[in-house]
Coordinates of all heavy atoms in Angstrom, one line a residue:
M1 N -22.7 -8.7 -4.1 CA -21.2 -8.9 -4.2 C -20.5 -7.6 -3.8 O -19.6 -7.5 -3.0 CB -20.7 -9.3 -5.5 CG -20.9 -8.3 -6.5 SD -20.6 -8.7 -8.2 CE -21.4 -7.4 -9.1
M2 N -21.0 -6.5 -4.3 CA -20.4 -5.2 -4.1 C -21.3 -4.4 -3.3 O -21.9 -3.4 -3.6 CB -20.1 -4.5 -5.4 CG -19.3 -3.2 -5.2 SD -19.2 -2.3 -6.8 CE -20.7 -1.6 -7.0
N3 N -21.3 -4.7 -1.9 CA -22.2 -3.9 -1.1 C -21.4 -3.4 0.0 O -21.9 -2.7 1.0 CB -23.3 -4.7 -0.6 CG -22.9 -6.1 0.0 OD1 -21.7 -6.2 0.3 ND2 -23.7 -7.0 0.2
E4 N -20.1 -3.6 0.0 CA -19.2 -3.0 1.0 C -17.8 -2.8 0.5 O -17.5 -3.3 -0.6 CB -19.1 -3.9 2.3 CG -18.7 -5.2 2.0 CD -18.7 -6.2 3.1 OE1 -19.5 -6.0 4.1 OE2 -18.0 -7.3 3.0
C5 N -17.1 -2.0 1.2 CA -15.6 -1.7 0.8 C -14.9 -3.0 0.7 O -15.0 -4.0 1.6 CB -15.0 -0.7 1.8 SG -13.3 -0.3 1.4
F6 N -14.0 -3.1 -0.3 CA -13.3 -4.4 -0.5 C -12.2 -4.6 0.5 O -11.8 -5.7 0.8 CB -12.6 -4.3 -2.0 CG -11.9 -5.5 -2.3 CD1 -12.6 -6.6 -2.9 CD2 -10.6 -5.7 -2.1 CE1 -12.1 -7.8 -3.2 CE2 -9.9 -6.9 -2.5 CZ -10.7 -7.9 -3.1
N7 N -11.8 -3.5 1.1 CA -10.8 -3.6 2.2 C -11.3 -4.4 3.4 O -12.2 -4.0 4.0 CB -10.3 -2.2 2.6 CG -9.2 -2.3 3.6 OD1 -8.8 -3.4 4.2 ND2 -8.6 -1.1 4.0
P8 N -10.7 -5.6 3.7 CA -11.3 -6.4 4.8 C -11.2 -5.7 6.2 O -11.9 -6.2 7.0 CB -10.4 -7.7 4.7 CG -9.2 -7.4 3.9 CD -9.6 -6.3 3.0
N9 N -10.3 -4.8 6.3 CA -10.2 -4.1 7.6 C -11.1 -2.9 7.6 O -11.0 -2.3 8.6 CB -8.7 -3.7 7.7 CG -7.7 -4.8 7.8 OD1 -8.1 -5.8 8.4 ND2 -6.6 -4.7 7.2
C10 N -11.9 -2.7 6.6 CA -12.8 -1.5 6.6 C -14.2 -2.0 6.5 O -14.9 -1.7 7.5 CB -12.4 -0.7 5.4 SG -13.5 0.8 5.1
R11 N -14.6 -2.6 5.4 CA -16.0 -3.2 5.2 C -17.0 -2.1 5.4 O -18.0 -2.3 5.9 CB -16.2 -4.2 6.2 CG -15.3 -5.5 6.0 CD -15.8 -6.2 4.8 NE -15.1 -7.5 4.8 CZ -14.9 -8.2 3.6 NH1 -15.3 -7.7 2.5 NH2 -14.3 -9.3 3.6
K12 N -16.7 -0.9 4.9 CA -17.7 0.2 5.0 C -18.8 -0.2 4.1 O -18.6 -0.5 2.9 CB -17.1 1.5 4.6 CG -18.0 2.7 4.7 CD -17.3 4.0 4.4 CE -18.3 5.2 4.4 NZ -17.6 6.4 4.2
P13 N -20.1 -0.1 4.5 CA -21.2 -0.3 3.7 C -21.2 0.7 2.5 O -21.0 1.8 2.6 CB -22.4 -0.2 4.5 CG -21.9 -0.2 5.9 CD -20.5 0.3 5.8
L14 N -21.6 0.1 1.4 CA -21.8 1.0 0.1 C -23.1 1.7 0.1 O -24.2 1.0 0.1 CB -21.5 0.2 -1.1 CG -21.8 0.8 -2.5 CD1 -21.1 2.1 -2.7 CD2 -21.6 -0.1 -3.6
H15 N -23.2 3.0 0.1 CA -24.4 3.7 0.1 C -24.5 4.6 -1.1 O -25.5 4.7 -1.9 CB -24.7 4.5 1.3 CG -25.0 3.7 2.5 ND1 -25.9 2.8 2.6 CD2 -24.3 3.6 3.7 CE1 -25.9 2.3 3.8 NE2 -25.0 2.8 4.5
Y16 N -23.3 5.2 -1.4 CA -23.3 6.1 -2.5 C -22.1 5.8 -3.4 O -21.0 5.8 -3.1 CB -23.1 7.6 -2.1 CG -24.2 8.0 -1.1 CD1 -23.9 8.1 0.3 CD2 -25.5 8.3 -1.6 CE1 -24.9 8.5 1.1 CE2 -26.4 8.7 -0.6 CZ -26.2 8.8 0.7 OH -27.2 9.1 1.6
L17 N -22.4 5.5 -4.7 CA -21.4 5.2 -5.7 C -20.4 6.4 -6.0 O -19.4 6.2 -6.5 CB -22.0 4.7 -7.0 CG -22.3 3.2 -7.0 CD1 -22.9 2.8 -8.4 CD2 -21.0 2.4 -6.9
R18 N -20.9 7.6 -5.7 CA -20.1 8.7 -6.0 C -18.9 8.8 -5.1 O -17.9 9.4 -5.4 CB -21.0 10.0 -5.9 CG -21.7 10.4 -7.1 CD -22.4 11.7 -7.0 NE -23.5 11.5 -6.0 CZ -24.4 12.6 -5.6 NH1 -24.1 13.8 -6.1 NH2 -25.3 12.4 -4.8
E19 N -19.0 8.1 -4.0 CA -17.9 8.1 -3.0 C -17.0 6.9 -3.3 O -17.5 5.9 -3.8 CB -18.4 8.0 -1.6 CG -17.4 8.1 -0.6 CD -17.7 7.5 0.8 OE1 -18.7 6.9 0.8 OE2 -17.0 7.5 1.7
G20 N -15.7 7.2 -3.3 CA -14.8 6.1 -3.5 C -14.6 5.8 -5.0 O -14.8 6.6 -5.8
R21 N -14.1 4.6 -5.2 CA -13.8 4.1 -6.6 C -14.3 2.8 -6.9 O -14.3 1.9 -6.0 CB -12.3 4.1 -6.8 CG -11.6 5.4 -7.1 CD -10.2 5.3 -7.4 NE -9.9 4.8 -8.7 CZ -8.7 4.5 -9.1 NH1 -7.6 4.5 -8.3 NH2 -8.5 3.9 -10.3
V22 N -14.8 2.6 -8.1 CA -15.3 1.3 -8.5 C -14.3 0.7 -9.5 O -13.7 1.4 -10.4 CB -16.6 1.4 -9.2 CG1 -17.1 0.1 -9.8 CG2 -17.7 1.9 -8.2
F23 N -14.0 -0.5 -9.3 CA -13.1 -1.2 -10.2 C -13.8 -2.3 -10.9 O -14.7 -3.0 -10.2 CB -11.9 -1.8 -9.4 CG -11.0 -0.8 -8.7 CD1 -11.4 -0.3 -7.4 CD2 -9.9 -0.5 -9.2 CE1 -10.7 0.6 -6.8 CE2 -9.1 0.5 -8.5 CZ -9.5 1.0 -7.3
V24 N -13.6 -2.5 -12.2 CA -14.2 -3.5 -13.0 C -13.2 -4.5 -13.5 O -12.2 -4.1 -14.1 CB -15.1 -3.0 -14.1 CG1 -15.8 -4.0 -14.8 CG2 -16.0 -1.9 -13.6
F25 N -13.4 -5.7 -13.3 CA -12.4 -6.8 -13.7 C -13.2 -7.9 -14.5 O -14.3 -8.2 -14.1 CB -11.7 -7.5 -12.7 CG -10.8 -6.5 -11.9 CD1 -11.1 -6.1 -10.7 CD2 -9.5 -6.1 -12.5 CE1 -10.2 -5.1 -10.0 CE2 -8.6 -5.2 -11.9 CZ -9.1 -4.8 -10.6
G26 N -12.6 -8.3 -15.6 CA -13.2 -9.5 -16.3 C -12.8 -10.7 -15.6 O -11.6 -11.0 -15.3
V27 N -13.8 -11.5 -15.2 CA -13.5 -12.7 -14.4 C -14.0 -13.9 -15.2 O -15.0 -14.0 -15.7 CB -14.3 -12.7 -13.0 CG1 -14.0 -14.0 -12.2 CG2 -13.7 -11.5 -12.2
K28 N -13.2 -15.0 -15.2 CA -13.5 -16.2 -15.9 C -14.7 -16.9 -15.1 O -14.5 -17.1 -13.9 CB -12.3 -17.1 -16.1 CG -11.4 -16.6 -17.1 CD -10.7 -17.7 -18.0 CE -10.0 -17.1 -19.2 NZ -9.4 -18.0 -20.0
A29 N -15.6 -17.4 -15.8 CA -16.7 -18.1 -15.2 C -16.2 -19.5 -14.8 O -15.4 -20.0 -15.5 CB -17.9 -18.2 -16.1
D30 N -16.8 -20.1 -13.7 CA -16.4 -21.3 -13.3 C -16.7 -22.3 -14.3 O -15.9 -23.3 -14.6 CB -17.1 -21.7 -12.0 CG -16.6 -20.8 -10.9 OD1 -15.5 -20.3 -11.0 OD2 -17.3 -20.6 -9.9
S31 N -17.9 -22.3 -14.9 CA -18.3 -23.3 -15.9 C -18.7 -22.5 -17.2 O -19.5 -21.6 -17.1 CB -19.4 -24.1 -15.4 OG -20.5 -23.4 -15.0
E32 N -18.2 -22.9 -18.2 CA -18.5 -22.2 -19.5 C -20.0 -22.5 -19.9 O -20.5 -23.5 -19.6 CB -17.6 -22.6 -20.6 CG -16.2 -22.1 -20.4 CD -15.4 -22.4 -21.7 OE1 -15.9 -22.6 -22.7 OE2 -14.1 -22.4 -21.5
G33 N -20.5 -21.5 -20.6 CA -21.9 -21.7 -21.0 C -22.9 -21.3 -20.0 O -24.1 -21.4 -20.3
Q34 N -22.5 -20.8 -18.9 CA -23.5 -20.5 -17.8 C -24.4 -19.3 -18.3 O -25.5 -19.4 -18.1 CB -22.7 -20.1 -16.6 CG -23.5 -20.2 -15.3 CD -22.7 -20.0 -14.1 OE1 -21.7 -19.4 -14.1 NE2 -23.2 -20.6 -12.9
D35 N -23.7 -18.3 -18.8 CA -24.6 -17.2 -19.4 C -24.1 -16.9 -20.8 O -24.2 -15.8 -21.3 CB -24.3 -16.0 -18.5 CG -22.8 -15.6 -18.4 OD1 -22.0 -16.4 -18.9 OD2 -22.5 -14.6 -17.7
G36 N -23.7 -18.0 -21.5 CA -23.4 -17.8 -22.9 C -22.0 -17.4 -23.2 O -21.5 -17.4 -24.3
E37 N -21.3 -16.9 -22.2 CA -20.0 -16.5 -22.3 C -19.1 -17.1 -21.3 O -19.4 -17.5 -20.2 CB -19.9 -15.0 -22.2 CG -20.6 -14.3 -23.3 CD -20.4 -12.7 -23.3 OE1 -19.5 -12.3 -22.6 OE2 -21.3 -12.0 -23.8
G38 N -17.8 -17.1 -21.6 CA -16.8 -17.7 -20.8 C -16.4 -16.8 -19.6 O -15.7 -17.3 -18.6
S39 N -16.7 -15.6 -19.7 CA -16.3 -14.6 -18.7 C -17.3 -13.6 -18.4 O -18.2 -13.4 -19.2 CB -14.9 -14.0 -19.0 OG -15.1 -13.1 -20.1
H40 N -17.2 -12.9 -17.3 CA -18.2 -11.8 -17.1 C -17.4 -10.8 -16.3 O -16.3 -11.0 -15.8 CB -19.3 -12.4 -16.2 CG -19.0 -12.9 -14.9 ND1 -18.4 -14.1 -14.7 CD2 -19.1 -12.3 -13.6 CE1 -18.2 -14.3 -13.4 NE2 -18.5 -13.3 -12.7
L41 N -18.1 -9.7 -16.0 CA -17.5 -8.5 -15.4 C -17.9 -8.5 -13.9 O -19.0 -8.7 -13.6 CB -17.8 -7.2 -16.0 CG -17.4 -7.1 -17.5 CD1 -17.8 -5.7 -18.0 CD2 -15.8 -7.1 -17.5
E42 N -16.9 -8.3 -13.0 CA -17.2 -8.2 -11.7 C -16.9 -6.7 -11.2 O -15.9 -6.1 -11.7 CB -16.3 -9.1 -10.9 CG -16.8 -10.6 -10.9 CD -17.9 -10.9 -10.0 OE1 -18.4 -10.0 -9.3 OE2 -18.2 -12.1 -9.8
H43 N -17.6 -6.2 -10.4 CA -17.5 -4.8 -9.9 C -17.0 -4.9 -8.4 O -17.5 -5.7 -7.5 CB -18.7 -4.1 -10.0 CG -19.2 -3.8 -11.4 ND1 -19.6 -4.7 -12.2 CD2 -19.1 -2.7 -12.1 CE1 -19.9 -4.3 -13.4 NE2 -19.6 -3.0 -13.4
Y44 N -16.0 -4.1 -8.1 CA -15.5 -4.0 -6.8 C -15.4 -2.6 -6.3 O -15.2 -1.7 -7.2 CB -14.1 -4.7 -6.6 CG -14.1 -6.1 -7.1 CD1 -13.9 -6.4 -8.4 CD2 -14.3 -7.1 -6.1 CE1 -13.8 -7.8 -8.8 CE2 -14.2 -8.4 -6.5 CZ -14.0 -8.7 -7.8 OH -14.0 -10.1 -8.2
W45 N -15.6 -2.3 -5.0 CA -15.6 -1.0 -4.7 C -14.7 -0.7 -3.5 O -14.6 -1.5 -2.6 CB -17.1 -0.6 -4.3 CG -17.3 0.8 -3.7 CD1 -17.3 2.0 -4.4 CD2 -17.6 1.2 -2.3 NE1 -17.5 3.0 -3.6 CE2 -17.7 2.6 -2.4 CE3 -17.7 0.5 -1.1 CZ2 -17.9 3.3 -1.2 CZ3 -18.0 1.2 0.0 CH2 -18.1 2.6 0.0
L46 N -14.1 0.4 -3.6 CA -13.2 0.9 -2.4 C -13.9 2.2 -1.9 O -14.1 3.1 -2.7 CB -11.8 1.2 -2.8 CG -10.9 -0.1 -2.9 CD1 -9.5 0.4 -3.3 CD2 -10.8 -0.8 -1.6
C47 N -14.1 2.4 -0.6 CA -14.6 3.6 -0.1 C -13.6 4.8 -0.3 O -12.5 4.6 -0.6 CB -15.0 3.5 1.4 SG -13.6 3.4 2.4
G48 N -14.1 6.0 -0.1 CA -13.2 7.1 -0.4 C -11.9 7.1 0.5 O -10.9 7.4 -0.1
A49 N -12.0 6.8 1.6 CA -10.8 6.8 2.6 C -9.8 5.7 2.0 O -8.6 6.0 1.8 CB -11.2 6.5 4.0
C50 N -10.3 4.5 1.7 CA -9.4 3.5 1.3 C -8.9 3.7 -0.2 O -7.7 3.4 -0.5 CB -10.2 2.1 1.3 SG -10.6 1.6 2.9
A51 N -9.7 4.3 -1.0 CA -9.3 4.6 -2.4 C -8.1 5.5 -2.4 O -7.4 5.7 -3.4 CB -10.4 5.1 -3.2
Q52 N -7.9 6.3 -1.3 CA -6.8 7.3 -1.3 C -5.4 6.5 -1.2 O -4.4 7.0 -1.5 CB -7.0 8.3 -0.1 CG -8.0 9.3 -0.5 CD -7.9 10.4 0.6 OE1 -6.8 10.7 1.2 NE2 -9.0 11.0 0.8
F53 N -5.5 5.3 -0.5 CA -4.3 4.7 -0.2 C -4.2 3.4 -1.0 O -3.1 2.8 -1.1 CB -4.2 4.4 1.3 CG -4.3 5.6 2.1 CD1 -5.5 6.1 2.7 CD2 -3.2 6.5 2.2 CE1 -5.5 7.2 3.5 CE2 -3.2 7.7 3.0 CZ -4.4 8.0 3.6
Y54 N -5.2 2.8 -1.4 CA -5.2 1.5 -2.0 C -5.8 1.5 -3.4 O -6.7 2.4 -3.7 CB -5.9 0.4 -1.2 CG -5.3 0.2 0.2 CD1 -5.9 0.9 1.3 CD2 -4.2 -0.5 0.3 CE1 -5.3 0.7 2.6 CE2 -3.6 -0.7 1.5 CZ -4.2 -0.1 2.7 OH -3.6 -0.3 3.9
G55 N -5.4 0.5 -4.2 CA -6.1 0.3 -5.5 C -6.4 -1.2 -5.5 O -6.1 -1.9 -4.6
L56 N -7.0 -1.6 -6.6 CA -7.2 -3.1 -6.8 C -6.5 -3.6 -8.0 O -6.4 -2.9 -9.0 CB -8.7 -3.4 -6.9 CG -9.6 -3.0 -5.6 CD1 -11.0 -3.5 -5.9 CD2 -9.0 -3.7 -4.4
A57 N -6.0 -4.9 -7.9 CA -5.3 -5.5 -9.1 C -5.8 -6.9 -9.2 O -6.0 -7.5 -8.2 CB -3.8 -5.4 -8.8
Q58 N -6.0 -7.3 -10.4 CA -6.3 -8.6 -10.7 C -5.1 -9.5 -10.6 O -4.1 -9.2 -11.1 CB -6.9 -8.8 -12.1 CG -7.8 -10.0 -12.2 CD -8.7 -10.0 -13.4 OE1 -8.5 -9.3 -14.3 NE2 -9.7 -10.8 -13.3
D59 N -5.2 -10.6 -9.8 CA -4.0 -11.4 -9.6 C -4.4 -12.9 -9.7 O -5.1 -13.5 -8.8 CB -3.6 -11.2 -8.1 CG -2.4 -11.9 -7.7 OD1 -1.7 -12.4 -8.7 OD2 -2.1 -12.2 -6.6
G60 N -4.0 -13.5 -10.8 CA -4.4 -14.9 -11.1 C -6.0 -15.0 -11.2 O -6.6 -14.4 -12.0
D61 N -6.5 -15.8 -10.3 CA -7.9 -15.9 -10.3 C -8.7 -15.1 -9.2 O -9.8 -15.4 -8.9 CB -8.4 -17.4 -10.2 CG -7.5 -18.0 -9.2 OD1 -7.3 -17.6 -8.1 OD2 -6.8 -19.2 -9.5
G62 N -8.0 -14.2 -8.7 CA -8.7 -13.4 -7.7 C -8.3 -11.8 -7.8 O -7.6 -11.5 -8.7
V63 N -8.9 -11.1 -7.0 CA -8.6 -9.6 -7.0 C -8.0 -9.3 -5.6 O -8.5 -9.8 -4.6 CB -9.9 -8.8 -7.3 CG1 -9.6 -7.4 -7.0 CG2 -10.4 -9.1 -8.6
R64 N -7.0 -8.5 -5.6 CA -6.4 -8.2 -4.3 C -6.2 -6.7 -4.1 O -6.2 -5.9 -5.1 CB -5.1 -9.0 -4.1 CG -4.0 -8.6 -5.1 CD -2.8 -9.4 -5.0 NE -1.8 -9.2 -6.1 CZ -0.8 -8.3 -5.9 NH1 -0.6 -7.7 -4.7 NH2 0.0 -8.1 -6.9
L65 N -6.0 -6.3 -2.9 CA -5.8 -4.9 -2.6 C -4.4 -4.6 -2.7 O -3.5 -5.4 -2.3 CB -6.2 -4.8 -1.0 CG -6.6 -3.4 -0.5 CD1 -7.9 -2.9 -1.1 CD2 -6.8 -3.6 1.0
V66 N -4.0 -3.5 -3.4 CA -2.7 -3.1 -3.6 C -2.5 -1.7 -3.1 O -3.3 -0.8 -3.2 CB -2.2 -3.2 -5.0 CG1 -2.2 -4.7 -5.4 CG2 -3.1 -2.4 -5.9
K67 N -1.4 -1.4 -2.4 CA -1.0 -0.1 -2.0 C -0.7 0.8 -3.2 O 0.0 0.3 -4.1 CB 0.1 0.0 -1.0 CG -0.3 -0.2 0.4 CD 0.8 0.2 1.4 CE 0.3 0.2 2.8 NZ 1.3 0.4 3.7
R68 N -1.2 2.0 -3.2 CA -0.9 2.9 -4.4 C 0.5 3.4 -4.2 O 1.0 3.7 -3.0 CB -1.9 4.0 -4.4 CG -3.3 3.6 -4.7 CD -4.3 4.7 -4.7 NE -3.9 5.8 -5.6 CZ -4.7 6.7 -5.9 NH1 -5.9 6.8 -5.4 NH2 -4.4 7.7 -6.8
N69 N 1.2 3.6 -5.2 CA 2.6 4.0 -5.2 C 2.7 5.5 -4.6 O 3.6 5.8 -4.0 CB 3.2 3.9 -6.6 CG 3.4 2.5 -7.1 OD1 3.5 1.6 -6.2 ND2 3.3 2.4 -8.4
R70 N 1.7 6.2 -5.1 CA 1.8 7.7 -4.8 C 0.6 8.1 -3.9 O -0.5 7.8 -4.4 CB 1.9 8.4 -6.0 CG 2.3 9.9 -5.9 CD 2.8 10.3 -7.3 NE 1.9 10.0 -8.4 CZ 1.0 10.8 -8.9 NH1 1.1 12.1 -8.5 NH2 0.3 10.4 -9.9
V71 N 0.8 8.5 -2.8 CA -0.3 8.9 -2.0 C -0.7 10.4 -2.4 O 0.1 11.3 -2.3 CB 0.0 8.8 -0.5 CG1 -1.1 9.4 0.3 CG2 0.3 7.4 -0.1
Q72 N -2.0 10.5 -2.7 CA -2.5 11.8 -3.1 C -3.3 12.3 -1.8 O -4.3 11.8 -1.5 CB -3.2 11.8 -4.3 CG -2.4 11.5 -5.5 CD -3.1 11.2 -6.8 OE1 -4.2 10.8 -6.7 NE2 -2.6 11.5 -7.9
R73 N -2.8 13.4 -1.3 CA -3.5 14.0 -0.2 C -4.9 14.4 -0.4 O -5.9 14.0 0.3 CB -2.7 15.1 0.4 CG -1.5 14.6 1.2 CD -1.8 14.3 2.6 NE -0.7 13.6 3.3 CZ -0.9 12.9 4.4 NH1 -2.1 13.0 5.0 NH2 0.1 12.3 5.0
S74 N -5.1 15.2 -1.4 CA -6.4 15.8 -1.7 C -7.0 15.0 -2.9 O -6.5 15.2 -4.0 CB -6.3 17.2 -2.1 OG -5.2 17.5 -3.0
A75 N -7.9 14.1 -2.6 CA -8.6 13.2 -3.5 C -8.4 13.5 -5.0 O -9.2 14.1 -5.6 CB -10.1 13.1 -3.1
D76 N -7.4 12.8 -5.6 CA -7.2 12.8 -7.0 C -7.3 14.2 -7.6 O -7.8 14.4 -8.7 CB -8.2 12.0 -7.6 CG -8.0 10.5 -7.4 OD1 -6.8 10.1 -7.1 OD2 -8.9 9.8 -7.3
L77 N -6.6 15.2 -7.0 CA -6.5 16.5 -7.5 C -5.4 16.6 -8.5 O -4.2 17.0 -8.0 CB -6.4 17.5 -6.4 CG -7.7 18.5 -6.2 CD1 -7.3 19.6 -5.2 CD2 -8.1 19.1 -7.4
E78 N -5.6 16.3 -9.7 CA -4.5 16.4 -10.7 C -4.8 17.3 -11.8 O -5.9 17.2 -12.4 CB -4.2 15.0 -11.3 CG -3.3 14.2 -10.4 CD -2.8 12.9 -11.1 OE1 -3.7 12.1 -11.4 OE2 -1.7 12.8 -11.4
L79 N -3.9 18.3 -12.0 CA -4.2 19.2 -13.1 C -3.7 18.7 -14.4 O -2.8 17.9 -14.5 CB -3.3 20.5 -12.8 CG -3.8 21.3 -11.5 CD1 -2.8 22.4 -11.3 CD2 -5.2 21.9 -11.7
P80 N -4.4 18.9 -15.4 CA -4.1 18.4 -16.8 C -2.7 19.0 -17.2 O -2.4 20.1 -16.9 CB -5.2 18.9 -17.7 CG -5.8 20.0 -16.9 CD -5.6 19.8 -15.5
G81 N -1.9 18.1 -17.9 CA -0.6 18.6 -18.4 C -0.8 19.5 -19.5 O -1.9 19.7 -20.1
P82 N 0.3 20.1 -20.0 CA 0.3 21.1 -21.1 C -0.2 20.4 -22.4 O -0.8 21.0 -23.3 CB 1.8 21.5 -21.3 CG 2.5 20.6 -20.5 CD 1.6 20.0 -19.4
E83 N 0.1 19.1 -22.6 CA -0.4 18.4 -23.8 C -1.9 18.4 -23.8 O -2.5 18.6 -24.8 CB 0.1 16.9 -23.9 CG 1.6 16.8 -23.4 CD 1.6 16.5 -22.0 OE1 1.3 15.4 -21.4 OE2 2.1 17.5 -21.2
A84 N -2.5 18.2 -22.6 CA -4.0 18.0 -22.7 C -4.6 19.4 -22.9 O -5.7 19.5 -23.5 CB -4.4 17.5 -21.3
L85 N -3.9 20.5 -22.5 CA -4.5 21.8 -22.7 C -4.4 22.2 -24.2 O -5.2 23.0 -24.7 CB -3.8 22.8 -21.8 CG -4.0 22.6 -20.3 CD1 -3.2 23.5 -19.5 CD2 -5.5 23.0 -20.0
A86 N -3.4 21.7 -24.9 CA -3.1 22.2 -26.2 C -4.1 21.7 -27.2 O -4.4 22.3 -28.2 CB -1.7 21.7 -26.7
S87 N -4.6 20.5 -27.0 CA -5.6 19.9 -27.9 C -7.0 20.5 -27.9 O -7.5 20.8 -26.9 CB -5.7 18.3 -27.6 OG -6.2 18.1 -26.3
Ligands
ZN1 ZN1 -12.9 1.3 3.0

């Protein structure tokens, strides 16, 4: 299921998990009792390039691509705030 980028316009093959971002969503199973539980976890992957501009959100019974509100030029380079440093 997770062997390529979730972006349908990209479809980059997944080779290294260190690249990009992995999203995990709880998905309801079609039929209960299949694996003893009513839901299971699904993993989705966005490659590094797509993860800079997109995220994933669970929407009803599916997962969809969403544009990130804030574009971060240099891959998630966020400095910790003063609160984090104080603790
Ligand atoms: Zn991609």
Side-chain angles (χ1 to χ4, degrees):
M1 67 187 166
M2 187 185 73
N3 51 15
E4 61 186 16
C5 179
F6 186 81
N7 184 353
N9 295 322
C10 174
R11 295 288 190 204
K12 181 176 179 175
L14 169 58
H15 291 303
Y16 304 104
L17 270 178
R18 270 183 292 176
E19 188 200 4
R21 278 182 76 185
V22 173
F23 298 80
V24 182
F25 295 104
V27 179
K28 291 217 167 177
D30 292 337
S31 57
E32 286 188 24
Q34 202 171 22
D35 53 359
E37 293 181 25
S39 65
H40 63 284
L41 295 178
E42 287 275 9
H43 294 71
Y44 301 88
W45 180 70
L46 281 178
C47 73
C50 292
Q52 283 189 33
F53 303 102
Y54 299 100
L56 296 184
Q58 197 163 25
D59 182 20
D61 40 51
V63 172
R64 64 189 173 93
L65 203 63
V66 291
K67 270 198 174 170
R68 292 177 62 168
N69 296 328
R70 195 158 48 101
V71 174
Q72 292 171 332
R73 283 276 165 193
S74 49
D76 292 330
L77 249 188
E78 275 190 297
L79 296 173
E83 317 90 75
L85 291 174
S87 58

